[in-house]
Amino acid sequence: MRRLATITAIAALALAACTVPAGLTATTENPGDGPSGSPPTTVVVRDHPTASRALMPFDACDDLLDWTTGHALDRVGPYGLDGHMPYPPVFTDFEMAGDAGVVREMAASAATPAAAKNSVIGTNLQETGIDEPDLVKTDGRRIIAVTGSTLHVVEIDGDLLSHAGSIDLGFWTEDLFLDGDRVIAIAGGDVFGPMPLVEDVIGSEGMSMPVYTPVITVVEIDISDPEEPELTRSLRIDGRYISSRMVDGAVRLVVSSGPTGFAWAYPEGGGLRAERDAEDRNREIIESSEVENWLPYYILTDLEGRDTVVDEGTLLACDRTHRPDEFSGFTVLSLVTLDAEELEVSDSTGVFADGDIVYSSGDAAYVATSRWIDPIVFERGDEPTEMTTQIHKFALSRRAADYEASGTVPGYMLSQWSMSEHDGYLRVASTSSPQWWDGPDSESMVTVLDTRGDELRTVGSVDGLGRGERIYSVRFFDDRGYVVTFRQVDPLYVIDLSDPEDPTVEGELKIPGYSAYLHPIGDGYLLGVGQDADLDGRVLGLQASLFDVSDPSDPDRVDRFTMKDGHSEVEWDHHAFLHDPSTGLTVFPYERWDERKEGPPPTGVLVLNVTEGGISEDGVVSHDEKWGDWWAPIRRAMLIDGRLVTVSDAGILLTDVDTLDDLDWVSF
């Protein structure tokens, strides 16, 4: 029961609140200097860094083993390690996750070329040139889509589609990369698959409880013959999948791994002596542990012909593993680079810290995680204070990643959109309370950090945004940031970041509802997709708002579109959004509840025209009739050679953009 109480307490981090850390000076701006009617904001300047000191590498494996076992002996008990019983189920943000949550960066589609008759607009990205995994990919000739565990290859030729072939991957995934004639598919772990019991490992005596062993699976599929896609290689890594990116064919994975191989002893019956004996046996287990128990393992298998293990070993070298000055748990966060030609580990570096949210600027990768809390805090019934998010920076080269610096910001981050790098500075938006606990004392802030040696040092910050609310969306462009908070009304804040050491609130707009995703439209306009709401904060349905932010001091909503009782996947996954800047064509999925069954189909995509002049509805496209009476929600939309491609679990539909007439359909 003590173990279960500890796990429950760890999952309840929502009870934490954030205060301004020591070492900060705060000055309140004159309310008259800010936007009309806005509350006073506070500019916070850090006198010195309060981040955990820079991470330090281990000189040798003996040093790593001494460090891990020393801390483990302080924390081991009759049920194993505090906070590290055999893996509990893990709930991550869906990029993780908002990914309303992880490497899921200004959208590439914001700079995407016009959709001419020979062009492709595919996955909506945060940073141009940095590919993100998604459930569908295309090169303009082939559409690669996954439904459940089945990978489909569909060929497109003008107005015609053909289902060339498919293959069962053996696992469920929605994370694909396409690189020439190879597809990389990533699965987040075997957490919810069949699991042995502890008694199967240590015998029938003692208490039985599930052993969760998450394993990441990465497979390579050869689609050079689209009619016969073939699994060629499989890479399995201990841990849970956080996120990934691909640049020039090289895939970078972020992996979070815990200790493995420990067959903990458990009390045999009740009573203090049984607990003491179990703890003594567990201390012996810790003392006899090896480096391999603390670092993740990987196995690379060639799947062509007879399955053959071609490489295996510990994922991290000891001198490529880092530790914080302040103990942050036994979880290892690894940044792994996979070779562009072969599915093999070409480089990996790691830190003893966990990670939830990943952002990549191209030159650097940033991994953020909430501050580690010792489980004893919750066992005592205490509430942790000064909740902060740690950020670790890794410098990226063509085929490697090296740890560079660490820092902290107050509170919690929403998703990858909460971070943006510009002119060497990292801008971070955060809220003092987590997204599941927006109490009356909650507030949000934007912090600017600079890399100084091995520290991400705060050089400026503005807080006091949305008091009593939390962040619902963030977008950074050049030297401006846009932050949407919500509880009853939707304040859109325009942040001037031109002086990194003196960020200020330049303008503010309050309207009912909120925007969960922001996208640039032309010059000086933003489209927000989210929910309409009444003045009491009750949501009413899907809403798309066009904001004129050309005058940052006076942002204004100039047009909007609403759908009663509707919602969209865009609200938590930006990959579901499509915009063609050359025409204003804007497409995103919707679902709506309509007891009377009037109006548009209950599921489909909205086809809008969004320009600086306003929002107009062109119509809807639906797959519902393709699947009989069963709903077939559309998940993604793409433009290929001026034709609209929509993807659902039922199949792929090709549509004429001008008339919205069906051109061709293939079923899965």
Side-chain angles (χ1 to χ4, degrees), residues 171-185:
F171 56 79
W172 181 92
T173 182
E174 289 191 348
D175 281 21
L176 304 177
F177 289 111
L178 174 61
D179 179 38
D181 285 333
R182 71 171 188 158
V183 176
I184 305 297

Side-chain angles (χ1 to χ4, degrees), residues 125-343:
L125 308 175
Q126 187 175 359
E127 296 283 3
T128 304
I130 303 175
D131 197 12
E132 303 177 21
D134 199 12
L135 58 86
V136 60
K137 292 289 181 179
T138 185
D139 59 7
R141 298 182 298 109
R142 299 165 297 190
I143 302 169
I144 313 301
V146 65
T147 58
S149 64
T150 304
L151 183 82
H152 304 272
V153 181
V154 175
E155 296 181 316
I156 179 171
D157 183 10
D159 293 344
L160 299 177
L161 298 172
S162 60
H163 191 287
S166 63
I167 187 171
D168 185 1
L169 301 176
F171 56 79
W172 181 92
T173 182
E174 289 191 348
D175 281 21
L176 304 177
F177 289 111
L178 174 61
D179 179 38
D181 285 333
R182 71 171 188 158
V183 176
I184 305 297
I186 306 170
D190 299 331
V191 175
F192 301 105
M195 296 166 288
L197 295 178
V198 169
E199 64 180 10
D200 298 328
V201 180
I202 64 173
S204 58
E205 297 180 350
M207 183 178 68
S208 297
M209 58 196 317
V211 175
Y212 296 89
T213 56
V215 174
I216 297 169
T217 302
V218 185
V219 297
E220 181 181 72
I221 305 101
D222 181 359
I223 59 168
S224 56
D225 180 356
E227 296 182 1
E228 295 289 339
E230 182 181 6
L231 294 171
T232 56
R233 283 198 165 193
S234 168
L235 174 67
R236 290 167 63 80
I237 303 173
D238 284 328
R240 64 183 177 99
Y241 170 59
I242 300 298
S243 195
S244 59
R245 293 290 184 271
M246 184 171 73
V247 180
D248 296 331
V251 175
R252 284 193 167 93
L253 296 172
V254 181
V255 178
S256 178
S257 309
T260 60
F262 287 113
W264 301 115
Y266 296 95
E268 299 178 9
L272 296 175
R273 286 184 301 170
E275 288 198 355
R276 182 194 61 195
D277 292 344
E279 181 172 336
D280 288 343
R281 293 197 300 272
N282 286 335
R283 292 182 67 85
E284 294 174 358
I285 291 173
I286 292 293
E287 291 171 341
S288 62
S289 66
E290 300 177 349
V291 168
E292 289 76 12
N293 293 116
W294 304 102
L295 297 179
Y297 201 79
Y298 74 91
I299 299 176
L300 177 63
T301 305
D302 190 333
L303 302 177
E304 296 183 277
R306 183 176 179 179
D307 292 359
T308 304
V309 174
V310 295
D311 190 22
E312 64 178 299
T314 304
L315 185 66
L316 296 164
C318 294
D319 60 359
R320 295 279 285 163
T321 308
H322 303 74
R323 64 176 178 85
D325 182 62
E326 179 182 347
F327 179 73
S328 296
F330 298 105
T331 299
V332 178
L333 184 72
S334 304
L335 185 57
V336 184
T337 303
L338 305 183
D339 187 85
E341 301 299 330
E342 300 286 345
L343 192 68

